[in-house]
């Protein structure tokens, strides 16, 4: 899978992809990450990427021409209708649809993701209207630029590329897969500052450990993210447990 990141600050990413799973996935040639300096696609001698907003107001807006040129030079296509199958062009934007584990799973099916990082007041709207396939937000807050959001997308998606994680099963057991938060984890020592790791985890009884983990995942989801329960995959035992938690409160 290939990621192309279009940014006015390619140096921002120095170091961000040089650790852990992303670095290993690149070394194993499971993924490729290419950075593209937006200024390289300008045609004027000042290499201007931004301009004042029409209609007045604060700040600057990223101009459409270099962004269109950058994406067209990467895709070899003019117009999003002619992108190769498996290519998605993403504009990072607080106005986009929410980035979730489900969307990460969908994007992980792509062969190529082109990520456009905005800055300043944002990006000329014609980019969203005619160039991109997806406008994506990483949360309901405003960042200074799309670069941190691009790192978030790449990180969450790479974890889902087959072979990228050490253990193939780890992604399947994580938060949001199946609609619940992850269960709590403990490691050595069994007792730390008077706090005991749950006895059941030390028992070696796999069925009981699984039951405990499911119960804890339900409890934590109910406490921290009750909204997730509406769409979670729950069986009758889960529902009974949730009712019991209600009664316990
Ligand atoms: C300061 S923001 C622009 C905010 C814009 N004026 C607004 O209020 O919607 C500059 C850039 O940061 C990026 N950005 C900011 N918040 C983001 C978020 N929550 N998710 C993804 N990208 C974000 C976008 O690329 C955006 O163009």
């Amino acid at each position: 899978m290939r990621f192309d990141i279009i940014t006015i600050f390619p140096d921002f990413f120095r170091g961000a992809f040089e650790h852990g799973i992303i670095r290993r996935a690149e070394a194993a040639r499971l993924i490729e990450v290419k950075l593209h300096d937006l200024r390289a696609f300008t045609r004027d001698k000042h290499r201007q990427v931004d301009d004042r907003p029409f209609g007045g107001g604060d700040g600057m807006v990223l101009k459409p021409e270099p962004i269109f040129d950058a994406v067209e030079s990467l895709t070899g296509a003019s117009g999003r209708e002619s992108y190769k199958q498996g290519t998605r062009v993403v504009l990072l934007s607080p106005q986009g649809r929410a980035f979730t584990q489900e969307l990460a799973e969908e994007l992980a099916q792509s062969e190529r993701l082109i990520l456009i990082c905005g800055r300043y007041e944002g990006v000329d709207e014609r980019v969203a209207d005619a160039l991109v396939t997806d406008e994506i937000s990483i949360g309901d807050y405003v960042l200074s630029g799309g670069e941190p959001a691009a790192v978030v997308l790449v990180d969450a998606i790479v974890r889902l590329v087959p072979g990228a994680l050490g253990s193939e099963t780890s992604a399947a057991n994580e938060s949001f897969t199946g609609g619940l938060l992850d269960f709590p984890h403990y490691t050595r020592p069994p007792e730390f500052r008077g706090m005991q790791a749950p006895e059941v985890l030390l028992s070696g009884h796999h069925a009981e450990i699984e039951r405990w983990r499911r119960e804890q995942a339900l409890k934590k989801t109910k406490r921290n993210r009750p909204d997730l329960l509406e769409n979670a995959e729950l069986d009758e035992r889960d529902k009974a447990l949730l009712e019991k938690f209600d009664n316990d409160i």
Side-chain angles (χ1 to χ4, degrees), residues 24-132:
R24 283 206 310 271
E26 246 195 315
R29 296 181 180 275
L30 296 171
I31 63 155
E32 209 181 343
V33 184
K34 298 277 179 215
L35 300 171
H36 306 277
D37 186 345
L38 185 61
R39 283 187 206 283
F41 297 92
T42 52
R43 298 182 189 195
D44 63 307
K45 72 172 191 273
H46 299 295
R47 305 178 85 207
Q48 190 181 347
V49 290
D50 58 341
D51 212 332
R52 307 192 77 73
F54 283 140
D58 292 336
M60 301 293 271
V61 176
L62 286 184
K63 290 161 67 61
E65 306 97 306
I67 299 180
F68 271 75
D69 283 353
V71 170
E72 285 169 2
S73 90
L74 290 171
T75 58
S78 73
R80 61 183 162 202
E81 296 71 28
S82 36
Y83 296 149
K84 261 171 79 181
Q85 216 184 346
T87 295
R88 308 261 294 245
V89 180
V90 174
L91 174 64
L92 282 321
S93 162
Q95 300 150 30
R97 72 165 155 145
F99 186 57
T100 58
Q101 188 68 16
E102 198 179 355
L103 183 51
E105 280 161 18
E106 186 189 317
L107 293 172
Q109 306 301 315
S110 323
E111 278 163 39
R112 187 176 195 186
L113 279 187
I114 299 176
L115 306 178
I116 303 168
C117 303
R119 276 272 155 182
Y120 314 126
E121 280 310 305
V123 176
D124 186 289
E125 193 66 16
R126 286 164 287 195
V127 168
D129 288 345
L131 189 68
V132 306

